[in-house]
Amino acid sequence: MQRVRLTLLGLLTMAFTTCGQPNHETLFTEINSVLNRNGSLSAITARNTLEEAILAVMLKVEETKERAKDHTIVDPKIALAFEKADSLASTLNVPGLSIWTNTQIGFYYYSMSYLQEAFPYFLKSSQAMSSTAPATLIDPSDCYTKNGYFFGNIGDHLRAIAYLNRALLLADSSAFAQLHFAIGGEYSALEEYDKAEEHYLTAKELAQDIDPVRYAKVLGELAFLAMRSADFPSAEALLLEDIHLSRLHHANRNLMFAQIRLAHLYVDTQQWEAAQALLAEADAYTRNKANLSGFYEDVLQLKLAVAHALHDTVAQLELYPKLQDVRNRLKNTDGENAVMKVNLALQRSRAERDSLVHAAKLQRSKMNVFALTGACLLLLVMAFLLFRSKKQALKLQHVKFERSLFRFQLDKLKSEKKYEDAQQTIQAYLTFLKERNTAIAELRGEVAELSRSNSAEVIERKERLEQLLDEHLMTEENWQRFKTTFIKEYGPFYAKITATLPHLTESQLRIVLLQKLGLNNYGMANLLGVGQESIKKAKQRLRKRYGNQYDQVFVEA
């Protein structure tokens, strides 16, 4: 009956929404006042059927959130209830309501670590917020904050910072510590550690007397910055206080997070027994919670590192299948694969949005078709007169392309021959890499220029250039030759990284060796055929895995 009643309310309100958007300022002011003091929406009196429908949707969402607050996995019944509320909100054509509803539903999936399920809701809310004034939003600070959390989690840190700063302008002072803490986390992810520390210290000061749990969380992040600077005693002291406060105030999730971070420190400093004690407790907390699978993976990796250091083969054999199992689960929730899929979906969405904007512009231009008819006829005459010269130009363009392609191929062969003839040293290889990077940059410029046309001839040229571009990338043969030369000249450094950074994959080893030679992210990305963002994230994962040892190995070597 409740579903039928909500549907009828939605149909009744269509008369309002089709005849012009009503002003909901008074209602939204009442709603925001109630939400800010954690009151009940049922206390608000609707003045018409549309307001009644808006409140009905919000009450349904709030009721569903209450039912789901203690869940650790997605409940199909909860998901269905949210879907019904979202469907009704869409029929009401009230942007502020749709933004709030999509944000709350998206945050439900986000809190369960189901990033792919959360993505469509946050995408809709963020797109709508870009064209909606904050004054016409429901609980705008909350909407900006939750969108900031989500986009930061999937790696769109600049967007996250923008949303969190907007939330900071609108929020009550009691939320300042939370928001400064979150902004600090985004700057830390961008490796802008000075800005991160500035926001953390602000959050620490704000939370000290009013929010002990937030204060504990800030200590944990300041400890991370101390660990980066190899100030392990300070980091340990901060984390121990974080753990004490979290345990005292029953903040179990933050307690687990602090224990994992301190265990990481103990592993880095080879305090195996202390690490084992912390990991045992963190293991017990994360093991059976699906929404904490990412943290459970961290626990298993650290336990495996301890077992390896202690030569405990029995423990290693027990941990490997557990680690594989949790990684398989993470592929579909909040693991790297899921984040990558969400990022790709975000990029496709942006492209589709740009395409729609372009199509709208084209549609508007058609309105002037009659006024342009005379000009079009004139253009046809001009086109006929220019036809022959155009054909000649195309021939010249073809000859120019073939010459350019031949030059690239010849330069490639000369570069390879020069390297083979030269004494195979790292300096010779650096010259070779510099020439390759220059050629790759030029080739990409040519490909980008050709991408502006969709003609069959241009597409064929583009494919030939892309094939040549692939040949310029670091092949397996080139890699093995470079690796052999590197080991010959930098033997002690190579031995050090294999000992200090165990279990490096070949792709990770390439990044480490190229970084040692001074190549920046752009140069590595060109040679390896990936984006600069991929190189940056690969380095972040190495720092997360090896901690301070990763950066220190370059300094000490």
Side-chain angles (χ1 to χ4, degrees):
M1 287 300 294
Q2 176 70 3
R3 180 185 177 188
V4 173
R5 184 168 178 270
L6 290 175
T7 304
L8 287 173
L9 282 171
L11 293 173
L12 285 170
T13 58
M14 289 184 69
F16 290 92
T17 59
T18 55
C19 297
Q21 188 67 31
N23 189 333
H24 309 296
E25 183 177 344
T26 302
L27 175 64
F28 286 4
T29 299
E30 291 182 48
I31 290 172
N32 289 336
S33 176
V34 168
L35 292 176
N36 286 339
R37 63 175 187 270
N38 296 319
S40 172
L41 293 171
S42 58
I44 299 175
T45 302
R47 284 169 285 273
N48 53 54
T49 54
L50 177 56
E51 291 191 356
E52 187 177 351
I54 291 171
L55 288 169
V57 171
M58 293 189 67
L59 283 166
K60 183 67 176 175
V61 171
E62 289 293 305
E63 174 195 327
T64 307
K65 285 166 58 180
E66 181 64 23
R67 286 165 51 199
K69 68 178 183 180
D70 294 323
H71 293 186
T72 58
I73 59 173
V74 171
D75 184 335
K77 293 180 180 178
I78 297 295
L80 181 60
F82 276 136
E83 185 180 338
K84 290 176 181 176
D86 178 46
S87 177
L88 182 56
S90 299
T91 67
L92 299 181
N93 193 27
V94 179
L97 175 66
S98 294
I99 290 168
W100 180 85
T101 303
N102 283 312
T103 298
Q104 304 311 312
I105 299 174
F107 195 74
Y108 163 73
Y109 286 113
Y110 165 77
S111 64
M112 298 294 164
S113 298
Y114 279 71
L115 300 184
Q116 293 181 74
E117 286 73 12
F119 172 69
Y121 293 102
F122 279 113
L123 181 63
K124 287 189 287 185
S125 66
S126 66
Q127 288 179 343
M129 280 196 298
S130 66
S131 57
T132 306
T136 61
L137 295 177
I138 295 173
D139 204 356
S141 177
D142 181 71
C143 289
Y144 284 130
T145 299
K146 288 176 177 175
N147 274 269
Y149 286 165
F150 174 77
F151 284 103
N153 192 269
I154 65 170
D156 197 345
H157 303 296
L158 293 177
R159 186 195 292 229
I161 290 170
Y163 282 146
L164 292 168
N165 276 320
R166 290 181 198 173
L168 197 57
L169 293 174
L170 299 166
D172 182 80
S173 60
S174 61
F176 286 176
Q178 169 192 348
L179 290 167
H180 278 290
F181 175 78
I183 295 170
E186 298 306 323
Y187 278 121
S188 180
L190 290 170
E191 299 183 8
E192 296 186 36
Y193 298 113
D194 289 341
K195 291 183 179 178
E197 184 176 22
E198 179 183 339
H199 283 280
Y200 286 149
L201 291 174
T202 301
K204 179 184 176 185
E205 183 179 351
L206 290 167
Q208 187 165 10
D209 297 323
I210 61 173
D211 188 349
V213 174
R214 181 68 53 191
Y215 182 79
K217 291 181 178 181
V218 174
L219 297 180
E221 295 308 315
L222 290 172
F224 171 74
L225 298 182
M227 288 169 67
R228 284 198 74 263
S229 304
D231 185 359
F232 296 121
S234 296
E236 181 181 19
L238 288 166
L239 286 168
L240 287 172
E241 187 177 356
D242 180 1
I243 290 171
H244 169 72
L245 289 172
S246 298
R247 200 185 298 278
L248 182 66
H249 295 279
H250 308 290
N252 294 329
R253 181 161 176 153
N254 192 63
L255 172 63
M256 167 271 300
F257 186 81
Q259 288 171 330
I260 293 174
R261 180 161 285 172
L262 183 54
H264 206 302
L265 185 152
Y266 285 151
V267 168
D268 288 345
T269 54
Q270 300 183 5
Q271 299 180 58
W272 311 120
E273 290 185 6
Q276 284 177 315
L278 291 166
L279 292 171
E281 192 171 346
D283 185 305
Y285 183 74
T286 59
R287 186 187 311 138
N288 297 317
K289 293 181 175 64
N291 60 327
L292 299 181
S293 295
F295 294 110
Y296 186 45
E297 181 190 25
D298 292 339
V299 171
L300 292 176
Q301 286 179 324
L302 288 168
K303 292 180 75 172
L304 194 58
V306 173
H308 181 76
L310 298 177
H311 307 292
D312 187 345
T313 55
V314 174
Q316 291 179 58
L317 290 172
E318 179 185 343
L319 289 166
Y320 275 119
K322 290 182 179 180
L323 187 58
Q324 186 59 48
D325 177 64
V326 75
R327 283 175 175 168
N328 289 336
R329 276 186 278 146
L330 283 169
K331 287 179 181 178
N332 299 314
T333 54
D334 63 343
E336 291 181 13
N337 288 342
V339 172
M340 186 181 299
K341 289 178 183 177
V342 171
N343 266 314
L344 289 173
L346 179 60
Q347 293 170 20
R348 285 197 299 269
S349 173
R350 287 173 177 167
E352 290 168 2
R353 186 179 177 88
D354 291 343
S355 177
L356 288 173
V357 170
H358 182 63
K361 290 180 180 178
L362 289 177
Q363 185 64 30
R364 286 195 297 271
S365 70
K366 291 178 182 178
M367 303 277 295
N368 301 318
V369 66
F370 293 108
L372 296 173
T373 300
C376 288
L377 289 173
L378 180 61
L379 286 172
L380 284 173
V381 174
M382 292 174 64
F384 177 77
L385 295 174
L386 292 171
F387 177 74
R388 290 181 181 178
S389 61
K390 180 64 176 177
K391 283 190 67 176
Q392 184 63 31
L394 287 173
K395 287 181 181 179
L396 291 173
Q397 190 179 51
H398 178 73
V399 171
K400 181 181 177 182
F401 170 77
E402 292 296 334
R403 287 177 178 173
S404 179
L405 183 65
F406 177 76
R407 179 176 65 82
F408 281 124
Q409 292 171 330
L410 184 62
D411 288 346
K412 173 177 176 289
L413 292 173
K414 286 180 178 178
S415 178
E416 291 174 344
K417 185 70 167 61
K418 184 166 66 175
Y419 176 69
E420 289 173 359
D421 292 343
Q423 186 178 8
Q424 293 191 4
T425 63
I426 287 297
Q427 186 57 47
Y429 200 83
L430 279 172
T431 302
F432 174 73
L433 292 181
K434 182 179 179 181
E435 293 173 351
R436 275 293 162 89
N437 264 325
T438 301
I440 288 170
E442 290 182 20
L443 279 167
R444 285 186 171 158
E446 293 281 347
V447 170
E449 190 69 23
L450 292 176
S451 296
R452 298 177 182 178
S453 174
N454 291 323
S455 71
E457 184 177 0
V458 171
I459 290 174
E460 188 269 337
R461 292 177 188 172
K462 180 183 172 186
E463 289 174 349
R464 290 172 67 187
L465 283 177
E466 288 176 337
Q467 181 179 355
L468 184 58
L469 179 59
D470 288 341
E471 293 173 6
H472 277 72
L473 302 178
M474 181 177 280
T475 64
E476 184 61 29
E477 180 182 350
N478 285 342
W479 161 242
Q480 292 301 332
R481 188 166 56 185
F482 163 68
K483 184 177 175 183
T484 301
T485 304
F486 186 96
I487 294 172
K488 188 183 301 181
E489 291 195 36
Y490 290 95
F493 175 81
Y494 186 86
K496 184 172 186 62
I497 60 173
T498 54
T500 306
L501 310 177
H503 311 301
L504 283 173
T505 64
E506 282 295 293
S507 60
Q508 290 171 335
L509 183 59
R510 292 183 189 193
I511 290 173
V512 172
L513 299 190
L514 291 174
Q515 183 175 350
K516 169 63 178 173
L517 295 184
L519 268 73
N520 57 21
N521 289 353
Y522 174 79
M524 293 185 202
N526 271 349
L527 287 171
L528 301 179
V530 298
Q532 290 188 65
E533 191 63 24
S534 297
I535 298 295
K536 186 175 180 180
K537 288 183 178 178
K539 289 181 178 180
Q540 289 174 353
R541 286 193 290 271
L542 285 167
R543 290 189 177 98
K544 179 179 178 183
R545 180 176 180 183
Y546 297 108
N548 184 65
Q549 289 177 311
Y550 175 76
D551 289 317
Q552 199 64 30
V553 75
F554 295 101
V555 176
E556 293 177 357

mmCIF file of all heavy atoms in Angstrom, residues 13-50:
data_model
loop_
_atom_site.group_PDB
_atom_site.id
_atom_site.type_symbol
_atom_site.label_atom_id
_atom_site.label_comp_id
_atom_site.label_asym_id
_atom_site.label_seq_id
_atom_site.Cartn_x
_atom_site.Cartn_y
_atom_site.Cartn_z
ATOM 1 N N THR A 13 1.704 14.943 -8.708
ATOM 2 C CA THR A 13 2.596 16.106 -8.745
ATOM 3 C C THR A 13 3.065 16.439 -10.144
ATOM 4 O O THR A 13 3.690 17.474 -10.354
ATOM 5 C CB THR A 13 3.837 15.852 -7.880
ATOM 6 O OG1 THR A 13 4.496 14.691 -8.356
ATOM 7 C CG2 THR A 13 3.469 15.700 -6.429
ATOM 8 N N MET A 14 2.763 15.610 -11.135
ATOM 9 C CA MET A 14 3.223 15.883 -12.493
ATOM 10 C C MET A 14 2.612 17.159 -13.040
ATOM 11 O O MET A 14 3.189 17.832 -13.888
ATOM 12 C CB MET A 14 2.901 14.700 -13.419
ATOM 13 C CG MET A 14 3.759 13.477 -13.150
ATOM 14 S SD MET A 14 3.446 12.139 -14.303
ATOM 15 C CE MET A 14 4.123 12.847 -15.803
ATOM 16 N N ALA A 15 1.438 17.523 -12.553
ATOM 17 C CA ALA A 15 0.818 18.776 -12.993
ATOM 18 C C ALA A 15 1.688 19.971 -12.596
ATOM 19 O O ALA A 15 1.820 20.939 -13.337
ATOM 20 C CB ALA A 15 -0.577 18.923 -12.361
ATOM 21 N N PHE A 16 2.308 19.873 -11.413
ATOM 22 C CA PHE A 16 3.194 20.951 -10.974
ATOM 23 C C PHE A 16 4.459 20.977 -11.813
ATOM 24 O O PHE A 16 4.902 22.022 -12.257
ATOM 25 C CB PHE A 16 3.588 20.756 -9.498
ATOM 26 C CG PHE A 16 2.451 20.994 -8.537
ATOM 27 C CD1 PHE A 16 1.639 19.947 -8.126
ATOM 28 C CD2 PHE A 16 2.205 22.262 -8.044
ATOM 29 C CE1 PHE A 16 0.610 20.171 -7.227
ATOM 30 C CE2 PHE A 16 1.178 22.485 -7.148
ATOM 31 C CZ PHE A 16 0.368 21.436 -6.733
ATOM 32 N N THR A 17 5.055 19.806 -12.024
ATOM 33 C CA THR A 17 6.373 19.743 -12.659
ATOM 34 C C THR A 17 6.313 20.031 -14.139
ATOM 35 O O THR A 17 7.317 20.421 -14.735
ATOM 36 C CB THR A 17 7.006 18.351 -12.441
ATOM 37 O OG1 THR A 17 6.145 17.368 -12.991
ATOM 38 C CG2 THR A 17 7.202 18.096 -10.964
ATOM 39 N N THR A 18 5.186 19.817 -14.803
ATOM 40 C CA THR A 18 5.089 20.081 -16.234
ATOM 41 C C THR A 18 4.701 21.514 -16.524
ATOM 42 O O THR A 18 4.862 21.991 -17.638
ATOM 43 C CB THR A 18 4.059 19.135 -16.885
ATOM 44 O OG1 THR A 18 2.810 19.268 -16.201
ATOM 45 C CG2 THR A 18 4.514 17.698 -16.818
ATOM 46 N N CYS A 19 4.164 22.232 -15.551
ATOM 47 C CA CYS A 19 3.724 23.608 -15.769
ATOM 48 C C CYS A 19 4.738 24.619 -15.218
ATOM 49 O O CYS A 19 4.452 25.791 -15.084
ATOM 50 C CB CYS A 19 2.361 23.836 -15.115
ATOM 51 S SG CYS A 19 1.046 22.820 -15.827
ATOM 52 N N GLY A 20 5.914 24.163 -14.867
ATOM 53 C CA GLY A 20 6.918 25.069 -14.292
ATOM 54 C C GLY A 20 7.359 24.581 -12.941
ATOM 55 O O GLY A 20 6.568 24.032 -12.188
ATOM 56 N N GLN A 21 8.614 24.744 -12.666
ATOM 57 C CA GLN A 21 9.177 24.218 -11.423
ATOM 58 C C GLN A 21 8.787 25.099 -10.240
ATOM 59 O O GLN A 21 9.090 26.284 -10.216
ATOM 60 C CB GLN A 21 10.706 24.157 -11.538
ATOM 61 C CG GLN A 21 11.380 23.463 -10.399
ATOM 62 C CD GLN A 21 11.054 21.992 -10.352
ATOM 63 O OE1 GLN A 21 10.820 21.370 -11.363
ATOM 64 N NE2 GLN A 21 11.011 21.434 -9.176
ATOM 65 N N PRO A 22 8.069 24.563 -9.237
ATOM 66 C CA PRO A 22 7.681 25.360 -8.073
ATOM 67 C C PRO A 22 8.909 25.731 -7.238
ATOM 68 O O PRO A 22 9.964 25.118 -7.342
ATOM 69 C CB PRO A 22 6.752 24.418 -7.284
ATOM 70 C CG PRO A 22 6.425 23.297 -8.206
ATOM 71 C CD PRO A 22 7.565 23.186 -9.157
ATOM 72 N N ASN A 23 8.718 26.719 -6.387
ATOM 73 C CA ASN A 23 9.784 27.148 -5.491
ATOM 74 C C ASN A 23 9.700 26.335 -4.203
ATOM 75 O O ASN A 23 8.698 26.378 -3.502
ATOM 76 C CB ASN A 23 9.612 28.641 -5.185
ATOM 77 C CG ASN A 23 10.818 29.182 -4.427
ATOM 78 O OD1 ASN A 23 11.498 28.453 -3.727
ATOM 79 N ND2 ASN A 23 11.049 30.473 -4.585
ATOM 80 N N HIS A 24 10.775 25.575 -3.910
ATOM 81 C CA HIS A 24 10.773 24.713 -2.721
ATOM 82 C C HIS A 24 11.620 25.312 -1.607
ATOM 83 O O HIS A 24 11.986 24.609 -0.670
ATOM 84 C CB HIS A 24 11.315 23.324 -3.077
ATOM 85 C CG HIS A 24 10.644 22.710 -4.265
ATOM 86 N ND1 HIS A 24 9.320 22.375 -4.278
ATOM 87 C CD2 HIS A 24 11.138 22.389 -5.489
ATOM 88 C CE1 HIS A 24 9.013 21.856 -5.461
ATOM 89 N NE2 HIS A 24 10.094 21.864 -6.214
ATOM 90 N N GLU A 25 11.942 26.591 -1.705
ATOM 91 C CA GLU A 25 12.872 27.200 -0.766
ATOM 92 C C GLU A 25 12.404 27.060 0.680
ATOM 93 O O GLU A 25 13.186 26.700 1.567
ATOM 94 C CB GLU A 25 13.068 28.677 -1.116
ATOM 95 C CG GLU A 25 14.092 29.371 -0.225
ATOM 96 C CD GLU A 25 14.334 30.817 -0.631
ATOM 97 O OE1 GLU A 25 13.945 31.189 -1.761
ATOM 98 O OE2 GLU A 25 14.908 31.557 0.180
ATOM 99 N N THR A 26 11.108 27.312 0.919
ATOM 100 C CA THR A 26 10.588 27.237 2.294
ATOM 101 C C THR A 26 10.676 25.814 2.830
ATOM 102 O O THR A 26 11.134 25.585 3.963
ATOM 103 C CB THR A 26 9.130 27.720 2.341
ATOM 104 O OG1 THR A 26 9.065 29.056 1.851
ATOM 105 C CG2 THR A 26 8.595 27.673 3.766
ATOM 106 N N LEU A 27 10.250 24.842 1.997
ATOM 107 C CA LEU A 27 10.292 23.445 2.422
ATOM 108 C C LEU A 27 11.734 23.009 2.684
ATOM 109 O O LEU A 27 12.021 22.373 3.709
ATOM 110 C CB LEU A 27 9.660 22.552 1.352
ATOM 111 C CG LEU A 27 9.748 21.034 1.635
ATOM 112 C CD1 LEU A 27 8.968 20.674 2.890
ATOM 113 C CD2 LEU A 27 9.263 20.234 0.433
ATOM 114 N N PHE A 28 12.653 23.331 1.761
ATOM 115 C CA PHE A 28 14.042 22.904 1.925
ATOM 116 C C PHE A 28 14.684 23.551 3.151
ATOM 117 O O PHE A 28 15.518 22.936 3.824
ATOM 118 C CB PHE A 28 14.847 23.233 0.670
ATOM 119 C CG PHE A 28 14.563 22.319 -0.500
ATOM 120 C CD1 PHE A 28 13.585 21.343 -0.415
ATOM 121 C CD2 PHE A 28 15.277 22.428 -1.683
ATOM 122 C CE1 PHE A 28 13.320 20.491 -1.477
ATOM 123 C CE2 PHE A 28 15.027 21.587 -2.743
ATOM 124 C CZ PHE A 28 14.038 20.612 -2.645
ATOM 125 N N THR A 29 14.293 24.785 3.452
ATOM 126 C CA THR A 29 14.815 25.445 4.654
ATOM 127 C C THR A 29 14.381 24.674 5.901
ATOM 128 O O THR A 29 15.177 24.446 6.822
ATOM 129 C CB THR A 29 14.316 26.892 4.728
ATOM 130 O OG1 THR A 29 14.791 27.612 3.588
ATOM 131 C CG2 THR A 29 14.816 27.575 5.995
ATOM 132 N N GLU A 30 13.104 24.258 5.930
ATOM 133 C CA GLU A 30 12.605 23.470 7.063
ATOM 134 C C GLU A 30 13.331 22.125 7.146
ATOM 135 O O GLU A 30 13.727 21.687 8.238
ATOM 136 C CB GLU A 30 11.101 23.234 6.911
ATOM 137 C CG GLU A 30 10.243 24.482 7.071
ATOM 138 C CD GLU A 30 8.764 24.153 6.947
ATOM 139 O OE1 GLU A 30 8.316 23.183 7.589
ATOM 140 O OE2 GLU A 30 8.068 24.850 6.187
ATOM 141 N N ILE A 31 13.490 21.467 5.985
ATOM 142 C CA ILE A 31 14.150 20.153 5.960
ATOM 143 C C ILE A 31 15.584 20.274 6.466
ATOM 144 O O ILE A 31 16.035 19.483 7.309
ATOM 145 C CB ILE A 31 14.132 19.571 4.526
ATOM 146 C CG1 ILE A 31 12.709 19.168 4.133
ATOM 147 C CG2 ILE A 31 15.073 18.368 4.425
ATOM 148 C CD1 ILE A 31 12.568 18.764 2.676
ATOM 149 N N ASN A 32 16.315 21.273 5.958
ATOM 150 C CA ASN A 32 17.718 21.426 6.363
ATOM 151 C C ASN A 32 17.840 21.739 7.847
ATOM 152 O O ASN A 32 18.775 21.277 8.523
ATOM 153 C CB ASN A 32 18.377 22.524 5.528
ATOM 154 C CG ASN A 32 18.585 22.093 4.082
ATOM 155 O OD1 ASN A 32 18.669 20.902 3.797
ATOM 156 N ND2 ASN A 32 18.651 23.054 3.173
ATOM 157 N N SER A 33 16.883 22.516 8.369
ATOM 158 C CA SER A 33 16.893 22.820 9.795
ATOM 159 C C SER A 33 16.708 21.554 10.627
ATOM 160 O O SER A 33 17.398 21.335 11.622
ATOM 161 C CB SER A 33 15.791 23.834 10.118
ATOM 162 O OG SER A 33 15.731 24.080 11.502
ATOM 163 N N VAL A 34 15.776 20.705 10.188
ATOM 164 C CA VAL A 34 15.514 19.443 10.906
ATOM 165 C C VAL A 34 16.725 18.517 10.820
ATOM 166 O O VAL A 34 17.151 17.920 11.826
ATOM 167 C CB VAL A 34 14.262 18.753 10.319
ATOM 168 C CG1 VAL A 34 14.150 17.321 10.857
ATOM 169 C CG2 VAL A 34 13.010 19.532 10.670
ATOM 170 N N LEU A 35 17.316 18.377 9.627
ATOM 171 C CA LEU A 35 18.457 17.482 9.457
ATOM 172 C C LEU A 35 19.669 17.961 10.253
ATOM 173 O O LEU A 35 20.410 17.152 10.808
ATOM 174 C CB LEU A 35 18.819 17.368 7.969
ATOM 175 C CG LEU A 35 17.791 16.650 7.084
ATOM 176 C CD1 LEU A 35 18.226 16.698 5.617
ATOM 177 C CD2 LEU A 35 17.592 15.201 7.521
ATOM 178 N N ASN A 36 19.872 19.276 10.318
ATOM 179 C CA ASN A 36 21.026 19.819 11.048
ATOM 180 C C ASN A 36 20.956 19.548 12.545
ATOM 181 O O ASN A 36 21.985 19.432 13.216
ATOM 182 C CB ASN A 36 21.136 21.325 10.803
ATOM 183 C CG ASN A 36 21.654 21.634 9.401
ATOM 184 O OD1 ASN A 36 22.274 20.788 8.761
ATOM 185 N ND2 ASN A 36 21.376 22.829 8.911
ATOM 186 N N ARG A 37 19.729 19.456 13.074
ATOM 187 C CA ARG A 37 19.619 19.163 14.513
ATOM 188 C C ARG A 37 19.223 17.711 14.768
ATOM 189 O O ARG A 37 18.782 17.357 15.874
ATOM 190 C CB ARG A 37 18.606 20.120 15.167
ATOM 191 C CG ARG A 37 17.181 20.003 14.676
ATOM 192 C CD ARG A 37 16.265 20.923 15.503
ATOM 193 N NE ARG A 37 14.862 20.726 15.185
ATOM 194 C CZ ARG A 37 14.191 21.377 14.253
ATOM 195 N NH1 ARG A 37 14.805 22.325 13.543
ATOM 196 N NH2 ARG A 37 12.911 21.132 14.022
ATOM 197 N N ASN A 38 19.376 16.865 13.710
ATOM 198 C CA ASN A 38 19.086 15.428 13.822
ATOM 199 C C ASN A 38 17.648 15.167 14.259
ATOM 200 O O ASN A 38 17.368 14.219 15.008
ATOM 201 C CB ASN A 38 20.062 14.752 14.785
ATOM 202 C CG ASN A 38 21.486 14.807 14.285
ATOM 203 O OD1 ASN A 38 21.740 14.614 13.101
ATOM 204 N ND2 ASN A 38 22.417 15.103 15.180
ATOM 205 N N GLY A 39 16.739 15.996 13.771
ATOM 206 C CA GLY A 39 15.327 15.812 14.097
ATOM 207 C C GLY A 39 14.654 14.849 13.142
ATOM 208 O O GLY A 39 15.291 14.227 12.291
ATOM 209 N N SER A 40 13.328 14.739 13.262
ATOM 210 C CA SER A 40 12.555 13.811 12.435
ATOM 211 C C SER A 40 11.827 14.567 11.334
ATOM 212 O O SER A 40 11.152 15.568 11.582
ATOM 213 C CB SER A 40 11.545 13.060 13.299
ATOM 214 O OG SER A 40 10.678 12.290 12.482
ATOM 215 N N LEU A 41 11.952 14.078 10.099
ATOM 216 C CA LEU A 41 11.278 14.707 8.962
ATOM 217 C C LEU A 41 9.764 14.603 9.066
ATOM 218 O O LEU A 41 9.038 15.385 8.458
ATOM 219 C CB LEU A 41 11.744 14.055 7.654
ATOM 220 C CG LEU A 41 13.214 14.285 7.270
ATOM 221 C CD1 LEU A 41 13.591 13.408 6.081
ATOM 222 C CD2 LEU A 41 13.446 15.747 6.921
ATOM 223 N N SER A 42 9.283 13.639 9.840
ATOM 224 C CA SER A 42 7.832 13.460 9.982
ATOM 225 C C SER A 42 7.181 14.645 10.699
ATOM 226 O O SER A 42 5.955 14.813 10.641
ATOM 227 C CB SER A 42 7.531 12.164 10.747
ATOM 228 O OG SER A 42 8.146 12.193 12.020
ATOM 229 N N ALA A 43 7.996 15.478 11.339
ATOM 230 C CA ALA A 43 7.442 16.644 12.044
ATOM 231 C C ALA A 43 7.107 17.782 11.092
ATOM 232 O O ALA A 43 6.456 18.757 11.469
ATOM 233 C CB ALA A 43 8.448 17.128 13.091
ATOM 234 N N ILE A 44 7.558 17.692 9.820
ATOM 235 C CA ILE A 44 7.315 18.756 8.846
ATOM 236 C C ILE A 44 5.951 18.555 8.200
ATOM 237 O O ILE A 44 5.591 17.439 7.809
ATOM 238 C CB ILE A 44 8.418 18.769 7.776
ATOM 239 C CG1 ILE A 44 9.779 19.028 8.425
ATOM 240 C CG2 ILE A 44 8.134 19.828 6.713
ATOM 241 C CD1 ILE A 44 10.938 18.936 7.457
ATOM 242 N N THR A 45 5.190 19.636 8.065
ATOM 243 C CA THR A 45 3.865 19.575 7.454
ATOM 244 C C THR A 45 3.947 20.030 6.002
ATOM 245 O O THR A 45 4.443 21.128 5.712
ATOM 246 C CB THR A 45 2.877 20.482 8.201
ATOM 247 O OG1 THR A 45 2.825 20.067 9.574
ATOM 248 C CG2 THR A 45 1.488 20.398 7.590
ATOM 249 N N ALA A 46 3.478 19.181 5.084
ATOM 250 C CA ALA A 46 3.488 19.514 3.655
ATOM 251 C C ALA A 46 2.342 20.475 3.342
ATOM 252 O O ALA A 46 1.261 20.385 3.918
ATOM 253 C CB ALA A 46 3.351 18.247 2.822
ATOM 254 N N ARG A 47 2.582 21.398 2.397
ATOM 255 C CA ARG A 47 1.570 22.383 2.016
ATOM 256 C C ARG A 47 0.839 22.013 0.733
ATOM 257 O O ARG A 47 -0.167 22.629 0.382
ATOM 258 C CB ARG A 47 2.230 23.763 1.847
ATOM 259 C CG ARG A 47 2.569 24.434 3.176
ATOM 260 C CD ARG A 47 3.448 25.655 2.977
ATOM 261 N NE ARG A 47 4.815 25.266 2.664
ATOM 262 C CZ ARG A 47 5.737 25.015 3.599
ATOM 263 N NH1 ARG A 47 5.437 25.138 4.885
ATOM 264 N NH2 ARG A 47 6.954 24.655 3.272
ATOM 265 N N ASN A 48 1.356 21.009 0.006
ATOM 266 C CA ASN A 48 0.684 20.564 -1.220
ATOM 267 C C ASN A 48 1.122 19.134 -1.521
ATOM 268 O O ASN A 48 1.971 18.563 -0.814
ATOM 269 C CB ASN A 48 1.003 21.508 -2.392
ATOM 270 C CG ASN A 48 2.506 21.711 -2.582
ATOM 271 O OD1 ASN A 48 3.255 20.748 -2.708
ATOM 272 N ND2 ASN A 48 2.932 22.980 -2.571
ATOM 273 N N THR A 49 0.566 18.563 -2.577
ATOM 274 C CA THR A 49 0.852 17.152 -2.884
ATOM 275 C C THR A 49 2.308 16.937 -3.289
ATOM 276 O O THR A 49 2.884 15.876 -3.020
ATOM 277 C CB THR A 49 -0.060 16.656 -4.010
ATOM 278 O OG1 THR A 49 0.061 17.526 -5.144
ATOM 279 C CG2 THR A 49 -1.502 16.612 -3.560
ATOM 280 N N LEU A 50 2.911 17.925 -3.956
ATOM 281 C CA LEU A 50 4.310 17.775 -4.343
ATOM 282 C C LEU A 50 5.206 17.732 -3.109
ATOM 283 O O LEU A 50 6.094 16.880 -2.996
ATOM 284 C CB LEU A 50 4.734 18.922 -5.263
ATOM 285 C CG LEU A 50 6.206 18.917 -5.693
ATOM 286 C CD1 LEU A 50 6.582 17.598 -6.371
ATOM 287 C CD2 LEU A 50 6.499 20.076 -6.635
#
